Amino acid sequence: MSILQFKKNILITGGAGFIGSHLVRLFVTKYPDYKIINLDKLTYAGNLENLKDIDSSDNYEFVKGDIQDKDFLADLFTKKAITDVIHLAAESHVDRSISGPMEFILTNIVGTANLLDTAKGYWTELKGHTFYHISTDEVYGSLGAEGFFLETTPYDPRSPYSASKASSDHLVRAYQHTYGMEVKISNCSNNYGSHQFPEKLIPLMINNIRNKKPLPIYGTGENIRDWLWVEDHARAIDVIFHKGEIGETYNIGGWNEWTNIALVKHLCSIMDKKLELPQGESAELITFVKDRAGHDQRYAIDATKIKKELGWEPSIQFEEGLEKTVDWYLNNEDWVNAITSGDYQQYYKKHYSS
Ligand code: NAD
Ligand code: TYD
């Protein structure tokens, strides 16, 4: 099918990453009349094998590129006749933003500005084109013991990562307010599930338990996060893209708060069961380490608006999702070894050579 025959040519940025790959898979399989163009730089966090099951689909195309490169973007929009954007490409790990903030500023802020400005230049008539920006609840700052983040909560980002995401959210809103671009934003809580780079809490702990390495808990382990199954996030993005109001923000969360220490202990007990170890053995690996600089105490999303207005809610219980996640990591040891070593050759050879 030529590109002009599709109903929409949707540019999904960061589609080779954790959430992006789940979203690309959902859109490619659910909407054969949309062309999905996955633009990704393939940083350490982006892996094309995440999409091997759908990458020969007629309505899918991968383009390697950097959102920091505006000339490249201008060319891409023209060549692919982009009609809509769902923007996920970002540097996403808080600890990396503390040790090296500049790449976060360049990709998350300048890269988003490049995309907005390219879209504005290419879409001569802004009406009818959606620019949907995927953001985080971390822009709202840190909660105490009570309360939830609402869509109206004032921004108060505290890490270089959250400050860069907050900045990009403001730019997206400015393009609507100033130029009339048809934008949408969603701010989601912590995701978990398959294909997450094992530097984030849950996959890091699974991998360390399997390798009998210490489980580093920052500070006291009493910090709280609200966890959401990644495929539920992808479903929410689908609903917002199709039914969300232009110019609106939607908070997405799991109504699922856990202290880090309770979560890791729970994970240890699942791992003991799966690895047929005596109960309590994995938890012996827990090691309290120096706290993260500026560590936000608690995140918790009030996801009432998206439920009431768009009918979305999480589909699976955390216990079930966590067990599925553990199973995926245990069954995909090669994937973990390949992405952590940066050497995909062995992985490709084993799984995709015919
Ligand atoms: P990820 O780190 O797994 O993936 C990011 C992807 O972006 C990678 O494939 C990477 O190669 C690509 N990328 C990075 N820099 C790029 C650049 N300059 N040009 C093009 N591509 C580039 O991240 P994720 O966890 O999948 O998060 C995706 C988005 O969702 C991010 O915008 C993040 O802020 C947001 N978010 C994440 C979570 C979470 O829990 N992971 C929660 C809420 C919001
Ligand atoms: P993370 O997965 O990095 O997500 P975020 O910082 O964006 O919420 O961390 C989740 C929580 O787990 C956070 O409170 C920091 C904590 N944490 C640890 O205690 N040890 C670790 O090794 C990691 C990576 C995170």
Side-chain angles (χ1 to χ4, degrees), residues 262-277:
L263 192 162
V264 171
K265 282 184 175 164
H266 184 56
L267 199 52
C268 285
S269 102
I270 298 177
M271 291 292 284
D272 285 341
K273 198 173 70 184
K274 299 275 174 194
L275 299 175
E276 297 178 2
L277 299 169

Side-chain angles (χ1 to χ4, degrees), residues 93-94 138 190 199-201 204 216 218 225 260 292 295:
H93 189 43
V94 173
E138 301 188 26
N190 289 60
E199 64 185 352
K200 305 269 169 64
L201 182 71
L204 177 90
Y218 299 163
R225 298 293 181 264
N260 294 333
R292 172 187 277 173
H295 198 172

Side-chain angles (χ1 to χ4, degrees), residues 36-314:
I36 303 302
I37 297 110
N38 171 14
L39 163 63
D40 200 294
K41 184 178 178 178
L42 299 182
T43 67
Y44 76 96
N47 300 285
L48 284 180
E49 68 260 35
N50 294 357
L51 291 163
K52 274 286 163 195
D53 54 327
I54 56 103
D55 73 359
S56 55
S57 309
D58 288 343
N59 64 335
Y60 172 74
E61 186 178 348
F62 172 72
V63 179
K64 184 169 191 278
D66 189 340
I67 59 169
Q68 292 180 33
D69 182 345
K70 195 155 185 276
D71 292 338
F72 159 77
L73 289 177
D75 195 47
L76 180 73
F77 271 67
T78 308
K79 275 195 184 135
K80 305 296 173 194
I82 299 300
T83 58
D84 302 85
V85 174
I86 307 180
H87 174 37
L88 292 92
E91 286 294 334
S92 68
H93 189 43
V94 173
D95 291 329
R96 284 182 192 250
S97 84
I98 294 168
S99 54
M102 285 316 293
E103 201 55 24
F104 286 70
I105 288 156
L106 293 172
T107 283
N108 300 2
I109 306 177
V110 178
T112 302
N114 282 340
L115 266 176
L116 284 163
D117 216 52
T118 304
K120 175 177 150 287
Y122 178 69
W123 296 332
T124 40
E125 171 63 61
L126 288 177
K127 209 170 154 30
H129 300 288
T130 299
F131 189 107
Y132 179 7
H133 178 59
I134 307 304
S135 193
T136 167
D137 60 354
E138 301 188 26
V139 299
Y140 298 123
S142 180
L143 291 165
E146 304 282 314
F148 295 91
F149 294 136
L150 290 162
E151 286 79 359
T152 50
T153 301
Y155 275 33
D156 183 22
R158 287 146 180 263
S159 72
Y161 165 65
S162 55
S164 69
K165 291 297 291 187
S167 177
S168 61
D169 293 9
H170 289 321
L171 282 166
V172 172
R173 292 198 181 95
Y175 267 67
Q176 185 195 20
H177 189 75
T178 311
Y179 305 112
M181 186 176 275
E182 300 194 335
V183 310
K184 296 176 184 180
I185 299 180
S186 53
N187 297 80
C188 188
S189 65
N190 289 60
N191 287 212
Y192 72 98
S194 71
H195 299 91
Q196 187 172 32
F197 192 88
E199 64 185 352
K200 305 269 169 64
L201 182 71
I202 291 178
L204 177 90
M205 296 295 166
I206 295 173
N207 205 28
N208 283 12
I209 294 170
R210 191 178 50 203
N211 294 310
K212 302 213 176 305
K213 283 167 64 179
L215 309 180
I217 305 282
Y218 299 163
T220 61
E222 294 302 321
N223 304 68
I224 292 173
R225 298 293 181 264
D226 168 5
W227 294 92
L228 179 71
W229 176 239
V230 63
E231 292 177 36
D232 280 336
H233 188 188
R235 280 177 44 245
I237 294 171
D238 179 12
V239 169
I240 292 167
F241 180 77
H242 288 98
K243 296 195 201 144
E245 291 284 328
I246 291 162
E248 284 298 308
T249 292
Y250 297 90
N251 280 353
I252 309 168
W255 297 109
N256 179 40
E257 293 181 53
W258 287 74
T259 62
N260 294 333
I261 186 67
L263 192 162
V264 171
K265 282 184 175 164
H266 184 56
L267 199 52
C268 285
S269 102
I270 298 177
M271 291 292 284
D272 285 341
K273 198 173 70 184
K274 299 275 174 194
L275 299 175
E276 297 178 2
L277 299 169
Q279 272 297 320
E281 186 158 319
S282 298
E284 282 172 20
L285 297 167
I286 290 174
T287 310
F288 290 92
V289 299
K290 188 170 177 284
D291 208 353
R292 172 187 277 173
H295 198 172
D296 286 339
Q297 178 53 36
R298 174 172 167 254
Y299 303 146
I301 282 278
D302 181 330
T304 305
K305 176 176 171 179
I306 185 171
K307 180 174 179 188
K308 258 171 109 173
E309 295 185 11
L310 306 179
W312 175 92
E313 57 186 332

